[in-house]
Amino acid sequence: MDMSYSISNYPDMQELTLLFARRRRALLRLLRKSHLIRRKRIIKNYSVLLHAALLYFVHQYSFRRLALHMALFYHVSMSDTAWEKQLAKFAPVFWQAVQKILSHTPAVSSSAPLLALDATHFSMQGSSVPPLRLHSCVATDSRTVEQLFLSDLHTPESVRHFSLRHGCCYLADRAYATSSQMAYMLEQNADFIFRLSPSQVKLFTSPQCAQRLDFQALLAQESFSVHCYFRYQRKVYGIRLVGTLLPQEKQDTAIQRTRKKSRKKQNRTRPSTLEYARWLLLATTLSDAGPNICETYRKRWQIELFFKTGKTLLNLHKLKRSSVQWANHQIELWMTIVTYISALYLEAQSASLPLPSPFFAFALFLMLIS
């Protein structure tokens, strides 16, 4: 982040405030159409409800503190339980309103949309409830959430959790590069670029699947792009395998990470595993040249930034102690706020407002909505 910027001396604060005010008015119009407020003699308008949700989530208010704050500043007299029920109803409505706003946002790129698949974990404060796993599909250009699926920690990461869209290319890490999942993508006619580990999938040189792919010969080059085949449930599928050698500093980091994982699992590290760690190996349905595939796959990092931004700046490493049902609402609110601010950042960029980084924009928008 460019440290020459600070929120107090940001030169385009007036333009950014006007942009935010326009989006806020549009959001409130959509919320009013939901007719969510039934007791208007208590909660007068949707701006009060929106502020309550932000206080609870962004500023980490408890329901007791939230009830006291809203009674003091807005003369809204509701119990802790009433606020919990109101915000539980508000969470899905807020999500739908933000999604509708994003549907009218101009696309950043005219090329096929790139959608990143990944999962992150949430534990609960002081609770015996097992950690929850959030499966997400995020658009890399706008860093907005396309689809969500919440499960327990025992549910594996899978492309089957999502409704696949034609005309999109899906990016994912090694957890998704298995024979069953790649076969499913091919049967759905969905393009993908998955990072692959040779130990997970048996690859062959021909459709007859008689001769295994010689990885040692391929890794003798600095990069390669070959057509190969794999078999799943007596069917044969064709993909392209693309490989490029990582820069030296990234090779060292990858090897250290691989050894650390092996020590943690108390496994012996094979020499071939360390050799594969030095490479970026990708399985794809696209026929572009190798360097283009690798550059496209690196955009998958946007979903990692999405999780990191939300967890760091909203301080949501752990959910507040609650029922599993309310944990769903917490995550839904978290995703909605992060998606909403990411959309504001994207619009500020398109308006040529000089925001130095998404983290700076996030802090700035949080100040505006507080």
Side-chain angles (χ1 to χ4, degrees):
M1 173 177 164
D2 187 355
M3 298 307 294
S4 63
Y5 282 89
S6 69
I7 292 177
S8 59
N9 65 5
Y10 180 65
D12 295 284
M13 177 62 80
Q14 184 176 0
E15 289 82 355
L16 198 64
T17 304
L18 291 174
L19 183 151
F20 177 81
R22 289 196 302 270
R23 280 303 185 190
R24 181 185 174 88
R25 287 194 296 269
L27 180 62
L28 290 174
R29 282 197 299 270
L30 289 172
L31 291 175
R32 280 194 292 270
K33 292 179 180 179
S34 68
H35 302 292
L36 181 65
I37 298 178
R38 301 295 183 185
R39 303 166 69 184
K40 292 188 177 180
R41 60 186 176 84
I42 299 178
I43 302 178
K44 302 298 181 183
N45 52 58
Y46 285 88
S47 61
V48 174
L49 187 56
L50 178 61
H51 192 203
L54 295 173
L55 285 174
Y56 170 78
F57 208 84
V58 176
H59 297 282
Q60 299 292 305
Y61 276 31
S62 64
F63 283 117
R64 177 172 296 180
R65 187 182 177 189
L66 178 64
L68 291 173
H69 182 98
M70 301 308 287
L72 180 62
F73 289 95
Y74 292 101
H75 307 291
V76 176
S77 180
M78 290 173 58
S79 66
D80 307 358
T81 305
W83 273 114
E84 181 177 358
K85 290 180 179 178
Q86 188 67 63
L87 292 185
K89 294 177 183 177
F90 177 72
V93 173
F94 187 27
W95 169 254
Q96 292 170 9
V98 169
Q99 289 295 97
K100 189 167 289 188
I101 287 177
L102 295 180
S103 66
H104 299 293
T105 303
V108 177
S109 174
S110 58
S111 59
L114 298 175
L115 303 178
L117 306 177
D118 205 355
T120 187
H121 299 161
F122 289 97
S123 56
M124 202 170 291
Q125 298 173 354
S127 176
S128 58
V129 176
L132 301 173
R133 174 174 284 168
L134 179 67
H135 308 262
S136 306
C137 176
V138 173
T140 60
D141 286 337
S142 59
R143 262 200 276 168
T144 55
V145 179
E146 296 280 329
Q147 298 178 58
L148 294 175
F149 175 73
L150 190 66
S151 71
D152 57 28
L153 201 59
H154 301 291
T155 303
E157 299 177 48
S158 174
V159 295
R160 292 178 174 84
H161 299 322
F162 308 99
S163 298
L164 302 179
R165 289 168 45 193
H166 293 290
C168 298
C169 182
Y170 291 86
L171 314 177
D173 58 14
R174 295 184 184 95
Y176 296 83
T178 63
S179 298
S180 62
Q181 301 209 54
M182 291 193 295
Y184 179 79
M185 296 291 288
L186 289 166
E187 288 174 357
Q188 298 296 316
N189 295 318
D191 288 323
F192 64 86
I193 306 176
F194 291 169
R195 189 165 187 177
L196 181 138
S197 175
S199 60
Q200 293 180 214
V201 184
K202 293 181 180 180
L203 298 176
F204 300 89
T205 57
S206 65
Q208 290 72 32
C209 298
Q211 183 179 357
R212 295 280 295 272
L213 201 65
D214 187 358
F215 273 95
Q216 296 303 319
L218 292 175
L219 300 186
Q221 313 170 54
E222 289 189 1
S223 63
F224 59 85
S225 177
V226 296
H227 197 75
C228 56
Y229 302 86
F230 69 93
R231 185 167 45 200
Y232 178 70
Q233 292 185 346
R234 299 182 179 181
K235 293 183 181 180
V236 177
Y237 302 88
I239 58 171
R240 178 168 293 276
L241 179 68
V242 177
T244 184
L245 196 63
L246 296 173
Q248 187 60 50
E249 61 275 10
K250 291 187 177 181
Q251 290 183 37
D252 298 337
T253 303
I255 289 174
Q256 290 176 7
R257 190 185 303 116
T258 302
R259 285 174 171 164
K260 184 178 179 180
K261 287 182 179 179
S262 297
R263 287 195 299 268
K264 187 175 180 180
K265 295 180 179 180
Q266 298 182 350
N267 293 333
R268 184 175 62 86
T269 307
R270 296 179 180 178
S272 59
T273 303
L274 296 178
E275 180 64 22
Y276 296 147
R278 299 172 56 241
W279 285 78
L280 176 63
L281 300 174
L282 303 173
T284 180
T285 57
L286 304 180
S287 58
D288 293 344
N292 293 334
I293 295 294
C294 295
E295 287 302 317
T296 302
Y297 176 78
R298 289 188 175 98
K299 295 182 180 180
R300 192 202 70 85
W301 188 248
Q302 294 300 322
I303 194 171
E304 302 287 355
L305 291 177
F306 183 89
F307 292 145
K308 183 179 180 181
T309 302
K311 287 189 173 182
T312 302
L313 294 178
L314 288 183
N315 196 26
L316 194 69
H317 298 286
K318 288 189 175 182
L319 299 172
K320 294 180 181 180
R321 186 172 183 176
S322 61
S323 64
V324 176
Q325 183 180 7
W326 178 243
N328 277 270
H329 295 313
Q330 287 187 63
I331 291 176
E332 196 168 29
L333 279 171
W334 172 73
M335 277 295 205
T336 305
I337 293 171
V338 179
T339 300
Y340 185 51
I341 295 178
S342 297
L344 289 173
Y345 174 69
L346 181 66
E347 190 169 351
Q349 278 189 318
S350 63
S352 301
L353 293 177
L355 291 170
S357 75
F359 284 91
F360 178 88
F362 208 110
L364 196 57
F365 288 131
L366 287 183
M367 185 190 73
L368 289 173
I369 65 182
S370 301

